Amino acid sequence: MQTGKFWLLALCCAASVAQAAPLLKLSALPDEGASEQQRRYAPLVRYLSAELKQKVQFVTLPDYSSVAEALGRGKLDLAWLGGFSYVQARQLGEVRPIAQREEDPNHTSVFIVHEDSHAHQLKDLRGKSFAFGAQTSAAGHLMPRWFLQRDGLRPETDFRRLRYSGSHEVTALWVATGKVEAGVLGSAGWQRLVDSDKLDLSEVRVLATTPAYSEFNWSVRPRMSHALRQKLTQALLKLDPRQPAHREVLTALGAPKLIAAQPEQFAALEQAARSAGMLDKKPGN
C-alpha cells in the first residue's frame, strides 16, 4: 500500500515537472504577414516540441531589428536571422549561430552596369553614379561596400552620386533605365529577376561578382545552457528529407537540409557593418 502511494506521488511529481518545463520561444525575420508566418513555421514548432518534449511557441515581430533585439536580450530562444540582424543581436549579447541552409555560406553580390557602359572592372566605376540596395542589407550594401573598400574605392567620395534603392529589384530597374550607371544586389536576388522575366534586363550586364560570404542563420539566445543548445542543434541538423514529417519542416524552411553554422563565418560581415558605421547604435535604441 505504501509502495503504491510512493509511485503515485512520484508520477504526480514527474507530471508537475513536465508541465513546468519552460516555454521555448522562436521567431524569424518578418518577410511575410504575421498569419502567414505562423502557418509557415507551424511544422517546425510541432517538430521541435516533439524533439525537446516541451512547449514551443512561434512569436511574430514587426521588423528585423525587433527580432535581433528580442534574441540579443534573451526574450527569444531561437531565431532565423539575416546577416545584419545577426551582428545587431550580437551587440546585445553572445547569441550563437547553430544552423543554416546549405547555400547560406556561399552568398555573393553582383555589381551590374548598363550594357553600353565602358566599365570593365570595379575601379572603372570611379566617378559614376551608383546604387546600393537597402542600407541594412548584407547582400545589397554591407558586404559589397566592404569589398569595394578593400579594393580601394570609397563610396562616399569616389562615386559621383551615391543612392540607396531599398531593394534588389529597384537597383536592377535603376540600372536598366539609366537612373544610375551602376549598382549592386545579391546574386540570389539577381538570379530570381533573370529567371522571372519580371524586368527587361537585356540592357544590363554583370560587371563583377564578390567572393562568397555567409549570410542567414538560426541563432540561439545568450546564456543558453550547453545542453539545450546541443539539443536544438541536433534537432535541426538531423532533419532528413526522406522522412515525411521532416520533409514538411524543410519545405517550410526552404531548404533541402540544414548544416552547422559557426560564429567565425560571420566575422567579415560584422567587420563590414562596423566599417559602414552601422553598429554605432544598438537595435531598439
Side-chain angles (χ1 to χ4, degrees):
M1 190 67 162
Q2 292 298 322
T3 302
K5 288 183 178 179
F6 172 80
W7 282 111
L8 181 59
L9 179 61
L11 287 172
C12 289
C13 289
S16 297
V17 170
Q19 290 173 359
L23 174 68
L24 188 137
K25 295 182 179 181
L26 68 94
S27 190
L29 298 178
D31 292 328
E32 53 204 346
S35 59
E36 179 60 23
Q37 267 201 312
Q38 290 283 358
R39 185 202 63 78
R40 177 182 176 187
Y41 287 99
L44 178 62
V45 168
R46 291 193 296 269
Y47 170 73
L48 289 178
S49 182
E51 286 292 312
L52 302 176
K53 296 179 174 56
Q54 67 183 89
K55 187 175 180 181
V56 177
Q57 178 184 33
F58 185 85
V59 179
T60 57
L61 291 167
D63 52 49
Y64 284 30
S65 292
S66 297
V67 178
E69 181 184 8
L71 186 69
R73 296 190 187 280
K75 296 177 181 177
L76 293 171
D77 298 291
L78 176 69
W80 175 246
L81 301 175
F84 184 60
S85 301
Y86 167 75
V87 296
Q88 278 188 308
R90 274 185 61 83
Q91 282 198 287
L92 300 173
E94 284 296 313
V95 303
R96 184 179 180 87
I98 59 172
Q100 58 187 168
R101 300 167 304 186
E102 285 185 299
E103 68 265 28
D104 288 326
N106 298 303
H107 279 265
T108 59
S109 298
V110 294
F111 293 89
I112 59 174
V113 294
H114 198 272
E115 180 61 37
D116 61 9
S117 173
H118 295 298
H120 296 289
Q121 49 189 328
L122 288 179
K123 68 178 183 179
D124 297 334
L125 297 180
R126 188 175 276 107
K128 300 188 182 302
S129 57
F130 186 89
F132 287 117
Q135 281 191 289
T136 57
S137 168
H141 175 218
L142 298 176
M143 291 310 295
R145 174 186 280 271
W146 190 67
F147 287 119
L148 283 170
Q149 292 176 169
R150 194 183 69 173
D151 288 350
L153 283 170
R154 299 294 180 266
E156 274 70 27
T157 57
D158 288 336
F159 294 135
R160 177 172 56 82
R161 183 176 56 166
L162 179 62
R163 304 187 66 178
Y164 292 90
S165 72
S167 75
H168 298 312
E169 182 178 328
V170 175
T171 296
L173 178 63
W174 282 4
V175 175
T177 59
K179 191 168 185 176
V180 293
E181 296 169 274
V184 67
L185 64 159
S187 55
W190 168 254
Q191 193 58 53
R192 282 195 298 271
L193 290 173
V194 171
D195 294 341
S196 70
D197 294 325
K198 193 171 183 179
L199 296 176
D200 181 6
L201 299 175
S202 61
E203 299 298 316
V204 179
R205 63 179 169 87
V206 174
L207 176 69
T209 301
T210 69
Y213 52 86
S214 282
E215 243 271 47
F216 300 94
N217 67 72
W218 284 100
S219 283
V220 296
R221 62 171 169 80
R223 298 176 297 280
M224 177 176 282
S225 71
H226 177 75
L228 179 55
R229 189 176 77 228
Q230 285 295 99
K231 286 180 181 179
L232 276 170
T233 302
Q234 291 169 6
L236 292 175
L237 298 187
K238 80 174 188 178
L239 284 166
D240 185 346
R242 293 171 297 183
Q243 298 186 38
H246 289 198
R247 186 164 59 247
E248 182 185 21
V249 177
L250 290 168
T251 298
L253 300 183
K257 65 179 293 188
L258 295 178
I259 61 174
Q262 302 296 333
E264 55 268 22
Q265 293 176 240
F266 303 91
L269 183 52
E270 185 167 351
Q271 183 179 347
R274 291 194 184 282
S275 69
M278 300 295 291
L279 291 182
D280 297 336
K281 189 174 181 181
K282 294 183 180 181
N285 292 344

